[in-house]
Amino acid sequence: MNKPVNQKAWLFVMPVLVLVAFNAIVPLMTVVNYSVQETFGNNVFLWSGLMWFEELLRSDRFQDAFVRQLYFTFTILAIQIPLGIIIALAMPRKGAWVSVCLVLMALPLLIPWNVVGAMWNIFALPEIGLLGKTLNNMGFDYNYTRQAGAAWATLIVMDVWHWTSLVVLLCYAGLTSIPDAFYQAARIDGASSWAIFRYIQLPKMKRVLTIAVLLRFMDSFNIYTEPLVLTGGGPGNSTTLLSIDLAKKALGEFDLGPAGAMSLIYFLVILLASWIFYTLMMKNEEQ
Amino acid sequence: MPVQQTVAFEMAKITLSGLAHSYLPSPVKPQDWALKRLDIEWQNGGAYALLGPSGCGKTTLLNVISGLLTPSQGKVLFDDKDVTVLQPDQRHIAQVFQFPVVYDTMTVFDNLAFPLRNRGLPEDQVKTRVHTIAEMIDLTSMLKKRASGLSADGKQKISLGRGLVREDVNAILFDEPLTVIDPHLKFLLRAKLKELHQRFNNTMIYVTHDQTEALTFADQVVVMNMGEIVQIGTPVELFEKPQHTFVGHFIGSPGMNVLPCDIDNGAVMFGGRKLATTNKITGQSGKTEIGIRPEFIKFTKTGIAAKIIKVADAGRFNIVQADCHGTRINLLAMKSESIPSENVKLSFDPKNTRIYVDGWLAGERGLQ
């Protein structure tokens, strides 16, 4: 094949290259730059190689935050995905209630993140919050500002409240795209409701579920605002997730080198996990 | 898993009595009814076609028989048992849909075995049965493949296979099953279905809007229009003696000529001439028309004067379009016949000229 060579074609790509350079590549390279240098202020930088990376990966503080992050992400996935599927299955497929349900489901998604954090912060306060006060009146010793367990529970319930809707809406879209003939055929074939779920609904939801898991994984791994407003990472460091730790390091302590190294590792972990997950799902699809 | 009753499965006669269905909660106007009141019996072991244009109620009727729909009025009887409110799986009915339905994650074998396994059939019987059916519809080589990887043809074969795999069925219903199949394979599969019918003598009801398909498949064709059954008959009866102008027009290519006419003292007048017809008008009033198929119109020396508009070559014969006092008439002329260019006169075969009142064959209204 002889293709005509015309270097002017690059001009068509230029605008997007410039755009991407200024909003992604340049900022990212700045972080890379910080991560391999040491500074003592006065804009003096010294080459430090991979020192920050080694130090970070060995530090207990990072490892703890990382484990907390994994724990958080897998817990909310384990709750939100099945719960989302169940709610989507229970929602009406036609009639006036469809729009009511959809709006109700969409509501939590429309609330700004820090408002969600503030809402739950007040809602769960043991002395005056509706939830916290009720729990204590019922005899539970609940105080999320002092008990790590209570803080975790509140954090997870808040995230489930805020984000399960996303899974529901995606699953619902998948469910409504199944033609009636499939359900009719299943009824003729004498399939049980479990068989209908297992052999019709679940396979047809697979694509949207892939997207749901991927989105929830990435978002929950990046989560910052809500836990910050709710617990501020406390009590102690018990709810300090990766992003909160990173912000403390970069903005609180102004350790540009370590913060740069941590940003890169953080970014690579998400990228790698998403890639592995996506590849596995797509491979499964081809078979 | 419900335990199957060990009833010997002779298939049943299916009776629809006083049946009507509307998708609206409170139907008022006639057009609110997807199915207008009908009574019909499907004999055990018959091969029926349900023929009609899109939206005439064919699929609704089929879904009522299979139990996917509960009719608004009337009863469905299998032999003498009232099954109106029974679910499809309790009726022993198989149904194949217009678009292929396959269970994506299963292999072809598991797809075919699905209706049997759901009914708790022992695995060795499942195996024999699936292999028998796969053999019949040429799926044996694909049994181990994932169903999602097959072409549309292959998927529809699986759907057909799932309809045929059960031995305990009262009837097999086909809802335009060959729509997505390419023409060459369509012919083969239709022949296969016919063969299966002869072999197992299942009652088969085949919904289609394609007259060729209906006429080649069925012993009895049920023609529907606007939620009503307009005629039930053998292909020959439908062709030779349409009960309604709709049947005449819908069946045949080109369809029957339906020509407005006047009645003068009991005589049928068309184009200024008196016409002889096989049936007589018996005092009904209404819109009168004569129906004559293009096959039964000939060029003659004396007769109804007409002007030729167009001649279309249709292979062994020509389709001639003529104009007679503003009315369009189609007729068939053999290739050997010469077509007059001027002073054209037409004669209608009196044995095949019928008079219709308000669409229905005069004197025979109310066939249901």
Side-chain angles (χ1 to χ4, degrees):
Chain A
M1 277 269 284
N2 269 329
K3 283 185 187 165
V5 176
N6 185 351
Q7 302 296 354
K8 278 182 200 153
W10 288 107
L11 286 175
F12 287 104
V13 194
M14 268 304 279
V16 79
L17 277 182
V18 170
L19 216 66
V20 170
F22 275 93
N23 74 32
I25 300 172
V26 172
L28 189 68
M29 289 320 289
T30 319
V31 175
V32 173
N33 198 24
Y34 285 142
S35 74
V36 291
Q37 298 187 80
E38 168 137 49
T39 179
F40 300 102
N42 290 336
N43 235 1
V44 181
F45 286 91
L46 300 166
W47 172 256
S48 64
L50 294 178
M51 183 182 80
W52 296 131
F53 290 90
E54 281 170 37
E55 194 175 274
L56 184 83
L57 288 173
R58 288 212 184 92
S59 79
D60 288 344
R61 179 174 156 183
F62 176 77
Q63 285 172 11
D64 289 349
F66 190 72
V67 169
R68 277 195 290 271
Q69 184 66 62
L70 285 179
Y71 182 69
F72 175 75
T73 294
F74 284 104
T75 310
I76 64 108
L77 279 180
I79 297 171
Q80 288 176 7
I81 299 296
L83 187 64
I85 294 174
I86 291 170
I87 296 175
L89 285 172
M91 271 167 66
R93 300 291 147 70
K94 44 189 148 209
W97 286 103
V98 171
S99 30
V100 176
C101 287
L102 287 177
V103 169
L104 277 180
M105 278 296 137
L107 270 182
L109 298 175
L110 299 176
I111 302 173
W113 297 20
N114 55 354
V115 176
V116 172
M119 262 168 59
W120 279 80
N121 183 310
I122 297 164
F123 184 50
L125 277 177
E127 304 298 323
I128 54 161
L130 183 63
L131 175 72
K133 182 99 175 149
T134 311
L135 282 176
N136 279 297
N137 285 350
M138 284 164 71
F140 295 101
D141 178 25
Y142 168 87
N143 187 338
Y144 75 91
T145 57
R146 269 189 274 125
Q147 302 149 340
W152 267 96
T154 316
L155 186 61
I156 282 164
V157 170
M158 175 181 72
D159 199 76
V160 167
W161 177 85
H162 193 184
W163 287 109
T164 305
S165 299
L166 182 74
V167 183
V168 173
L169 293 178
L170 284 167
C171 289
Y172 187 73
L175 281 176
T176 48
S177 72
I178 303 174
D180 266 351
F182 278 83
Y183 294 110
Q184 294 180 333
R187 281 174 69 194
I188 297 282
D189 289 342
S192 61
S193 356
W194 166 251
I196 291 176
F197 174 70
R198 168 72 185 76
Y199 297 114
I200 296 175
Q201 293 172 323
L202 199 58
K204 297 278 172 202
M205 277 195 292
K206 207 174 105 182
R207 280 164 192 277
V208 286
L209 270 180
T210 310
I211 294 170
V213 172
L214 205 60
L215 282 178
R216 286 313 299 131
F217 170 79
M218 292 190 304
D219 278 351
S220 68
F221 223 81
N222 286 329
I223 193 168
Y224 176 69
T225 318
E226 295 146 283
L228 185 80
V229 178
L230 182 73
T231 63
N237 275 332
S238 62
T239 56
T240 302
L241 302 174
L242 276 182
S243 59
I244 296 180
D245 197 33
L246 177 62
K248 273 184 192 163
K249 211 172 242 153
L251 307 174
E253 298 152 26
F254 221 71
D255 276 339
L256 290 185
M262 186 171 168
S263 304
L264 285 181
I265 290 170
Y266 194 179
F267 171 59
L268 287 177
V269 167
I270 294 178
L271 198 63
L272 188 71
S274 303
W275 179 75
I276 291 172
F277 179 75
Y278 187 78
T279 315
L280 285 179
M281 293 300 265
M282 286 301 119
K283 207 172 187 177
N284 201 7
E285 187 93 342
E286 280 163 21
Q287 279 168 7
Chain B
M1 206 66 44
V3 179
Q4 217 50 58
Q5 296 170 308
T6 50
V7 184
F9 280 103
E10 307 109 56
M11 288 152 276
K13 177 180 81 181
I14 298 172
T15 312
L16 306 180
S17 126
L19 194 89
H21 186 73
S22 171
Y23 290 100
L24 304 175
S26 47
V28 193
K29 300 184 296 261
Q31 58 266 42
D32 290 349
W33 293 90
L35 275 184
K36 297 183 185 116
R37 200 190 141 89
L38 56 91
D39 292 274
I40 179 175
E41 265 180 24
W42 312 84
Q43 292 305 328
N44 184 8
Y48 293 93
L50 208 50
L51 180 66
S54 299
C56 72
K58 296 171 301 207
T59 300
T60 308
L61 184 56
L62 210 62
N63 289 349
V64 165
I65 297 174
S66 66
L68 290 171
L69 268 180
T70 307
S72 321
Q73 289 174 9
K75 274 192 234 163
V76 183
L77 306 171
F78 285 9
D79 280 336
D80 294 320
K81 193 169 162 242
D82 187 346
V83 297
T84 316
V85 292
L86 287 191
Q87 286 297 307
D89 58 322
Q90 295 167 299
R91 291 192 187 193
H92 308 295
I93 283 279
Q95 188 171 359
V96 180
F97 300 89
Q98 183 171 9
F99 294 102
V101 173
V102 297
Y103 304 106
D104 287 340
T105 51
M106 296 187 199
T107 61
V108 174
F109 181 95
D110 291 336
N111 258 279
L112 295 178
F114 193 60
L116 301 176
R117 285 180 179 155
N118 284 333
R119 288 170 172 78
L121 208 71
E123 200 59 21
D124 53 325
Q125 286 180 39
V126 170
K127 212 168 163 183
T128 14
R129 192 65 196 155
V130 168
H131 280 288
T132 317
I133 292 297
E135 192 64 43
M136 276 186 230
I137 51 176
D138 299 326
L139 278 176
T140 311
S141 60
M142 301 188 188
L143 281 177
K144 291 206 174 69
K145 276 197 188 162
R146 271 265 288 257
S148 56
L150 269 66
S151 63
D153 288 348
K155 285 183 179 170
Q156 190 62 334
K157 276 195 194 173
I158 297 178
S159 300
L160 279 173
R162 275 206 322 274
L164 301 168
V165 78
R166 285 156 58 198
E167 281 177 298
D168 63 350
V169 289
N170 285 317
I172 308 178
L173 315 180
F174 300 95
D175 190 356
E176 310 198 25
L178 303 182
T179 311
V180 294
I181 310 268
D182 72 53
H184 151 78
L185 205 62
K186 219 177 215 173
F187 180 77
L188 289 178
L189 281 176
R190 208 161 55 217
K192 211 92 194 178
L193 286 180
K194 189 86 190 160
E195 186 193 317
L196 289 171
H197 177 255
Q198 277 151 7
R199 204 157 135 198
F200 296 112
N201 217 28
N202 277 328
T203 310
M204 290 190 176
I205 303 175
Y206 191 105
V207 161
T208 178
H209 61 252
D210 177 342
Q211 51 166 313
T212 322
E213 223 167 88
L215 300 181
T216 51
F217 175 80
D219 308 329
Q220 289 277 312
V221 179
V222 178
V223 185
M224 290 185 73
N225 187 31
M226 316 216 345
E228 265 181 304
I229 292 180
V230 279
Q231 186 167 4
I232 304 172
T234 62
V236 174
E237 283 167 353
L238 295 183
F239 185 80
E240 291 185 346
K241 202 182 172 196
Q243 296 284 335
H244 192 280
T245 51
F246 172 78
V247 179
H249 196 75
F250 195 69
I251 289 172
S253 174
M256 184 172 75
N257 292 297
V258 178
L259 315 165
C261 64
D262 296 313
I263 307 296
D264 185 15
N265 271 336
V268 180
M269 303 297 289
F270 176 74
R273 296 179 73 100
K274 210 165 132 179
L275 276 185
T277 54
T278 46
N279 60 334
K280 295 277 167 286
I281 194 146
T282 48
Q284 290 135 310
S285 59
K287 190 176 60 159
T288 52
E289 287 157 316
I290 44 177
I292 178 153
R293 291 207 173 269
E295 288 83 351
F296 303 120
I297 304 178
K298 293 277 167 289
F299 295 116
T300 46
K301 297 252 154 42
T302 57
I304 298 155
K307 217 162 59 193
I308 288 174
I309 301 169
K310 202 169 109 189
V311 178
D313 190 336
R316 288 195 300 119
F317 44 77
N318 289 313
I319 299 172
V320 182
Q321 255 183 38
D323 179 275
C324 180
H325 303 291
T327 310
R328 191 67 58 90
I329 299 177
N330 286 319
L331 65 130
L332 292 188
M334 296 306 291
K335 273 287 174 62
S336 52
E337 231 175 311
S338 62
I339 295 163
S341 51
E342 54 187 30
N343 198 19
V344 181
K345 304 275 195 227
L346 304 174
S347 88
F348 293 2
D349 176 5
K351 271 192 286 208
N352 287 295
T353 308
R354 292 192 169 74
I355 179 128
Y356 292 85
V357 178
D358 286 337
W360 294 92
L361 193 62
E364 299 197 27
R365 177 158 201 168
L367 97 136
Q368 297 153 49

